[in-house]
C-alpha cells in the first residue's frame, strides 16, 4: 500500500522557469511533510518541510504548499537552476508519541535544461 | 563537523550469507534510523534506535536486526540474505525521536548474488 505517491517519475524544466513537483498521500494521520533532494551516489538531503497546521512554507527559491482536504502537497522551485537537477522525494510522518518514521514517495527526477 | 558516515560503501554477498552495516551519526545526534532503498523506489523505513533500544520498526522480517551503542553509532544486521535484499541501505540520524529533519549518510550499496 503506497501511502505517499509521486505520480510523475520525471520532469524537465528550462532554466529560470518554475518547477512544480507534486505529491499525494492517503493517510490522514500524517502530520508532518518533508521534501528531500538526492544526487547520485549521495544520501538524500533535507530541503524544506511543512507541518499539517500550515498550508504554505517558503525558504528562498523553494515553497511547499499543503492542501489537506485534497491530501496533496507540492514543491515549487522558482527560478529553477541547473544545480537543482536531482531526484526529489516527498516524505510524510506520523508522531505516535514514542517515535516517528518517514514514509517516502518513489521520487521525481527533475532535469533543469539550459 | 562530520556528517553521517556509513561503512562499507559497497558490499557483495551471496544468498544465505549474513551482513553487518555500520553507521556513525552526525555529531550531537542521538537517534539513528535505517532505510532500505530498492532501485527505482523511495527509501523504506526499517527501524529506529534511541537510547540503545529499537523504538519503532517498519514492515521488515526478523532477519533484519540492529543495535545501537553507547556512543550512538549503530549497526544493521541482515541474516540469510535473499536476492531481494539487494538495495541501497541508508542510515539517518536526528536529535530526539521526533522526525524533524533527518540527516542521511551516503549509504551502503549491497548486492546479493
Amino acid at each position: 500500500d503506497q501511502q505517499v505517491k509521486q505520480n510523475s517519475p520525471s520532469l524537465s524544466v528550462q532554466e529560470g522557469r518554475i518547477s512544480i513537483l507534486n505529491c499525494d498521500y492517503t493517510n490522514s494521520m500524517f502530520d508532518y511533510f518533508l521534501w528531500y533532494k538526492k544526487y547520485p551516489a549521495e544520501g538524500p538531503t533535507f530541503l524544506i518541510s511543512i507541518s499539517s497546521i500550515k498550508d504554505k512554507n517558503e525558504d528562498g527559491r523553494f515553497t511547499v504548499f499543503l492542501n489537506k482536504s485534497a491530501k496533496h502537497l507540492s514543491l515549487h522551485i522558482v527560478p529553477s537552476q541547473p544545480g537543482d537537477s536531482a531526484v526529489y522525494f516527498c516524505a510524510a510522518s506520523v508522531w505516535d508519541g514514542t517515535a516517528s518514521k518517514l514514509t517516502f514517495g518513489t521520487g521525481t527526477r527533475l532535469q533543469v535544461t539550459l | 563537523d562530520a556528517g553521517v558516515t556509513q561503512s562499507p560503501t559497497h558490499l557483495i554477498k551471496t544468498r544465505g550469507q549474513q551482513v553487518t552495516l555500520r553507521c556513525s551519526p552526525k555529531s550531537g545526534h542521538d537517534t539513528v534510523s535505517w532505510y532500505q532503498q530498492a532501485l527505482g523506489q523511495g527509501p523504506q523505513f526499517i527501524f529506529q534506535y534511541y537510547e540503545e533500544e529499537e523504538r519503532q520498526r517498519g514492515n521488515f522480517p526478523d532477519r533484519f536486526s540492529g543495535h545501537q551503542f553507547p556512543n550512538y553509532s549503530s549497526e544493521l544486521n541482515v541474516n540469510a540474505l535473499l536476492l531481494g535484499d539487494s538495495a541501497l541501505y541508508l542510515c539517518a540520524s536526528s536529535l530526539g525521536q521526533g522526525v524533524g529533519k533527518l540527516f542521511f549518510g551516503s549509504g551502503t550499496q549491497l548486492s546479493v548474488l
Side-chain angles (χ1 to χ4, degrees):
Chain A
D1 177 27
Q2 191 72 25
Q3 296 188 59
V4 178
K5 300 176 184 178
Q6 293 177 257
N7 292 318
S8 298
S10 63
L11 176 67
S12 184
V13 172
Q14 275 191 321
E15 181 181 12
R17 301 275 188 138
I18 183 171
S19 295
I20 300 176
L21 294 91
N22 294 304
C23 177
D24 297 294
Y25 62 95
T26 58
N27 187 346
S28 57
M29 298 298 291
F30 285 141
D31 54 12
Y32 195 66
F33 303 88
L34 308 91
W35 285 92
Y36 278 81
K37 178 170 72 173
K38 187 178 187 300
Y39 293 117
E42 294 183 13
T45 55
F46 171 79
L47 199 55
I48 193 169
S49 63
I50 187 167
S51 163
S52 60
I53 62 173
K54 295 186 174 182
D55 54 19
K56 177 183 173 181
N57 189 27
E58 196 170 351
D59 184 2
R61 296 185 299 114
F62 303 91
T63 303
V64 56
F65 295 92
L66 175 62
N67 183 335
K68 288 193 295 289
S69 60
K71 294 191 179 67
H72 177 84
L73 66 157
S74 61
L75 174 68
H76 292 208
I77 306 174
V78 183
S80 300
Q81 299 174 353
D84 296 329
S85 297
V87 177
Y88 289 78
F89 290 100
C90 166
S93 76
V94 178
W95 170 250
D96 71 358
T98 60
S100 188
K101 69 175 188 180
L102 287 181
T103 300
F104 283 86
T106 52
T108 296
R109 183 177 301 277
L110 173 65
Q111 183 165 10
V112 180
T113 59
L114 297 174
Chain B
D1 177 25
V4 179
T5 57
Q6 291 187 243
S7 63
T9 55
H10 295 82
L11 204 51
I12 299 175
K13 292 286 188 177
T14 56
R15 279 181 301 173
Q17 285 189 312
Q18 178 265 344
V19 68
T20 298
L21 310 182
R22 295 177 174 82
C23 172
S24 292
K26 179 178 169 62
S27 177
H29 284 184
D30 58 6
T31 303
V32 172
S33 302
W34 288 91
Y35 287 80
Q36 179 197 66
Q37 186 180 10
L39 196 62
Q41 301 296 315
Q44 280 200 303
F45 177 78
I46 303 176
F47 40 54
Q48 182 189 81
Y49 277 85
Y50 173 71
E51 291 186 337
E52 301 180 49
E53 288 189 18
E54 182 182 296
R55 298 292 177 166
Q56 195 173 26
R57 188 178 183 91
N59 189 24
F60 280 80
D62 292 344
R63 298 187 297 109
F64 289 77
S65 63
H67 189 78
Q68 185 179 36
F69 299 94
N71 67 352
Y72 307 121
S73 67
S74 175
E75 287 182 351
L76 164 65
N77 300 293
V78 187
N79 293 323
L81 284 167
L82 303 174
L83 296 180
D85 295 331
S86 296
L88 178 67
Y89 288 84
L90 294 163
C91 170
S93 73
S94 59
L95 181 60
Q97 295 172 268
V99 64
K101 186 167 68 175
L102 294 183
F103 288 78
F104 283 85
S106 298
T108 294
Q109 185 66 54
L110 172 65
S111 298
V112 182
L113 306 178

